[in-house]
Amino acid sequence: TSQSDVLATALDLIGIDFSEIALRGVKAEKKVGSITEIPLERKSYDVVCALEVLEHLNEKDFEKAREELSRVSSKYILVSTPFEEDLELEFVKCRKCKTRYNASHHKRSFSESDIRNLFKKYGFECIDVKYISKRNEYLILSNIMKGYRKLRGIRNSDRAVCPVCGFKESYVKTKGG
């Protein structure tokens, strides 16, 4: 048995995702479910995690997710999100329906203050904020690059899937390319 199998058994872990495909790699117990309707009992886990999820949610689902994470956790909530992301820098335009959207489908950006207050109304206090990695900021170069990206305007979607019409650019690999 692998170390992760032993750890999953010892810790009573469960993985939840709306995608059965995403759950294929999970070694622990797993359930198909939604962050807006977590299929677990109230206060059933000491630690509940939402990793790279909250930035993708619309306002209604974001509020429901915070409520659900708070409902299921008896002690701690661990979240991971991009930090102070400039959403417009990654905007693309669908070639088919002309919708403008963030290529990663991010709908919100989080500051340290946002994270510290994320679950306050549900009785949780932020213990710490850790930065896994920060984007390098270079005094002059970073501002020039941001200005250039905004100046060039919205580019066409070349890899993203449109959230409105589902259009995705298809590429045909050519002999030399």
Side-chain angles (χ1 to χ4, degrees), residues 30-174:
K30 50 193 160 193
K31 290 185 177 187
V32 174
S34 168
I35 196 165
T36 59
E37 292 182 38
I38 300 173
L40 298 172
E41 298 296 320
R42 184 178 187 280
K43 306 288 182 206
S44 57
Y45 279 84
D46 290 342
V47 180
V48 178
C49 302
L51 308 175
E52 306 301 314
V53 176
L54 299 177
E55 64 273 12
H56 295 274
L57 304 175
N58 64 38
E59 194 61 37
K60 180 181 171 190
D61 289 344
F62 176 69
E63 291 303 323
K64 185 65 177 160
R66 292 187 329 158
E67 182 181 315
E68 280 291 279
L69 292 165
S70 300
R71 180 186 66 79
V72 174
S73 176
S74 64
K75 294 182 183 176
Y76 305 103
I77 302 170
L78 173 67
V79 297
S80 170
T81 67
F83 175 70
E84 292 187 348
E85 181 180 24
D86 186 342
L87 299 174
E88 288 186 22
L89 289 180
E90 297 300 322
F91 268 22
V92 294
K93 183 164 74 172
C94 175
R95 292 180 200 266
K96 186 174 179 184
C97 73
K98 308 301 182 213
T99 297
R100 293 176 43 181
Y101 61 96
N102 178 280
S104 299
H105 298 278
H106 291 178
K107 296 180 179 163
R108 66 187 69 253
S109 179
F110 294 90
S111 67
E112 184 171 328
S113 175
D114 293 332
I115 295 298
R116 290 196 177 281
N117 295 302
L118 205 52
F119 298 98
K120 195 177 234 176
K121 83 180 207 179
Y122 297 102
F124 287 86
E125 178 185 340
C126 180
I127 296 171
D128 201 3
V129 174
K130 297 276 186 199
Y131 299 96
I132 295 171
S133 67
K134 280 187 170 181
R135 288 188 181 171
N136 291 330
E137 289 289 329
Y138 304 100
L139 185 61
I140 298 172
L141 185 59
S142 292
N143 288 327
I144 290 171
M145 289 306 296
K146 283 181 186 178
Y148 168 74
R149 286 183 184 139
K150 286 186 178 181
L151 196 75
R152 78 171 180 209
I154 307 302
R155 65 186 196 280
N156 288 327
S157 61
D158 53 1
R159 289 180 193 86
V161 177
C162 178
V164 174
C165 72
F167 177 76
K168 181 178 180 182
E169 192 73 42
S170 59
Y171 291 95
V172 177
K173 199 169 188 178
T174 60

